[in-house]
Amino acid sequence: MAVHYRIEKNLLTKPGSCRLRFMPQGIAGYDEVAARVALKNPGSSAEQIKNHLRSGMKEILAMLLEGLQVTLEDTMIFRPAFHAKLDTPDTPLPPMEKLLSINISASQPYVKEFQAKATLVREQWTEKMPAIQAAADTTTGLSNVVNPAGVLRLTGSNLAFDWQSPDNSCVLAGTESGSEAQTQFASVSDTEILLVPHLPAQSHTWNNEYTVSITTQYTEHGSIRTGTYSGRLRSPLTVPGLGLPTPPVTGILTGSADTPHVSVTDGGVVADERLRIQVEHNVQDDLLIFRLIDMQDGGTKGAMVPVTGDGAFVLPGFSGSAVSSLSIRVDEYAALKTMVVNDYNGRLVDVLDVKME
């Protein structure tokens, strides 16, 4: 583990000089932090820890609104900060968005520990490339979901491209088969792309896994460069007929395989509902844990069901859900576990549109 940097010329100084630029090796969020804490605290799941982290940040905001400075000993300091410049003491205050912000700084002990433990790696200059750092469906607000009925938001750097040029493109590709150059954009900039996704057809309904890439030229005669998002996108799956005497079997939680790793076989349903099914790798016991969750990150969840191999299982619903239970059948436990661990950092989620008919 090391902190990577690149040396760049600073043309704004006279005489000219050079500066060091931090080169991130990825982006970590609540999921990644919670997963690491869970490894060192086996008594708590990553989901529980993530909820605690989110709750802690909300309480810090509440304390700032009460006029407090929040000092987390040996780590971070949070305080309200003003950025207004007034001509006179009686000058009216500017709008709040130009007046008030939050200053967050690392404490000196935290910085000193970081400096003592850090090692540095110098990266050589590389060509400018499109880098997609995050993808989310704006309709559901969920990361790594691509929804044909919504808008896909891609964020990163160097993303701008001319989608009308035959040499430039934004492509969604199925991991099993098919690819589709996107044509319906709301906005395209260096840091963000908004598009209405058109998904390529794949061989089976359970093949709902996609990759997304950007191909562009930064100058008229420049070389063509392609950047592909490291994550995998998943589209919602329809689970029909759960109110029928004999429901059809619906494959879920699968990648590019010819047969589904998991299938929904039945369920207790009183109305149509959109929800999510999650499978998470429990590192301590080396098994998979299934549960139903609502459509809000950090929201309501059903009870956890541990699974150690192929077989039939019943997942309880959660409070307020029209789905009291969902019956699933795991047919490819080993392949599912490998996919969850290697391709999804230990946590795989599918959005399900559960239908009575």
Side-chain angles (χ1 to χ4, degrees):
M1 303 298 291
V3 178
H4 291 239
Y5 69 94
R6 187 171 65 198
I7 295 180
E8 299 178 347
K9 291 182 178 180
N10 186 357
L11 301 179
L12 299 179
T13 60
K14 293 183 179 181
S17 62
C18 294
R19 61 187 176 187
L20 276 67
R21 180 184 293 275
F22 167 59
M23 304 300 295
Q25 302 304 293
I27 296 178
Y30 283 110
D31 287 333
E32 292 76 15
V33 173
R36 290 200 177 198
V37 175
L39 287 175
K40 299 178 181 178
N41 296 270
S44 299
S45 70
E47 191 68 21
Q48 290 172 324
I49 293 168
K50 184 171 75 170
N51 290 339
H52 290 322
L53 290 171
R54 288 185 180 276
S55 297
M57 297 309 297
K58 289 181 180 178
E59 290 305 316
I60 289 174
L61 178 60
M63 292 177 178
L64 293 173
L65 292 170
E66 294 169 10
L68 299 174
Q69 173 178 301
V70 181
T71 300
L72 305 181
E73 291 77 4
D74 300 330
T75 54
M76 308 294 289
I77 300 171
F78 301 76
R79 61 170 69 90
F82 294 98
H83 296 294
K85 181 180 180 182
L86 306 181
D87 294 330
T88 72
D90 298 322
T91 300
L93 296 179
M96 193 68 76
E97 62 269 18
K98 296 182 179 180
L99 170 68
L100 187 63
S101 66
I102 299 173
N103 181 284
I104 304 173
S105 59
S107 68
Q108 280 303 306
Y110 204 55
V111 173
K112 292 294 184 184
E113 182 178 1
F114 176 66
Q115 292 171 337
K117 294 181 177 179
T119 57
L120 302 181
V121 173
R122 177 176 174 176
E123 291 190 0
Q124 298 303 312
W125 180 266
T126 56
E127 287 188 326
K128 184 178 178 182
M129 296 283 289
I132 306 171
Q133 296 169 344
D137 170 44
T138 62
T139 304
T140 62
L142 298 175
S143 298
N144 296 330
V145 170
V146 56
N147 179 10
V151 173
L152 180 64
R153 180 173 182 256
L154 306 176
T155 53
S157 58
N158 303 321
L159 301 182
F161 73 103
D162 180 6
W163 65 271
Q164 294 179 315
S165 167
D167 296 324
N168 290 202
S169 63
C170 173
V171 174
L172 281 167
T175 57
E176 186 274 334
S177 63
S179 64
E180 185 83 21
Q182 303 302 294
T183 58
Q184 196 168 352
F185 297 91
S187 68
V188 175
S189 73
D190 247 10
T191 58
E192 178 185 80
I193 295 173
L194 294 173
L195 64 102
V196 178
H198 297 272
L199 302 183
Q202 301 199 67
S203 297
H204 310 285
T205 57
W206 57 81
N207 299 137
N208 67 323
E209 184 183 64
Y210 301 88
T211 62
V212 60
S213 60
I214 301 292
T215 298
T216 188
Q217 283 176 294
Y218 296 110
T219 60
E220 182 180 358
H221 301 292
S223 59
I224 297 173
R225 299 166 188 176
T226 300
T228 300
Y229 180 46
S230 61
R232 296 176 185 234
L233 311 182
R234 300 184 71 83
S235 62
L237 292 170
T238 299
V239 182
L242 293 192
L244 301 177
T246 306
V249 175
T250 302
I252 60 172
L253 297 172
T254 309
S256 59
D258 291 335
T259 57
H261 298 336
V262 181
S263 297
V264 177
T265 58
D266 204 348
V269 183
V270 296
D272 295 350
E273 182 175 356
R274 171 170 279 188
L275 47 69
R276 292 181 293 166
I277 182 170
Q278 171 184 290
V279 56
E280 188 172 11
H281 180 231
N282 181 294
V283 178
Q284 180 185 7
D285 300 319
D286 193 26
L287 53 78
L288 297 179
I289 295 177
F290 288 74
R291 71 192 316 178
L292 300 180
I293 58 179
D294 69 10
M295 292 297 293
Q296 180 69 40
D297 277 347
T300 311
K301 305 173 182 62
M304 296 186 293
V305 177
V307 175
T308 58
D310 293 348
F313 305 88
V314 177
L315 308 185
F318 47 83
S319 176
S321 175
V323 179
S324 59
S325 66
L326 207 63
S327 298
I328 64 170
R329 189 183 69 230
V330 179
D331 290 321
E332 300 290 344
Y333 178 85
L336 174 64
K337 181 179 172 184
T338 298
M339 183 176 72
V340 170
V341 173
N342 293 344
D343 297 337
Y344 289 90
N345 296 316
R347 179 177 178 266
L348 170 60
V349 179
D350 259 339
V351 175
L352 304 182
D353 287 319
V354 177
K355 306 289 186 180
M356 293 190 67
E357 298 182 355

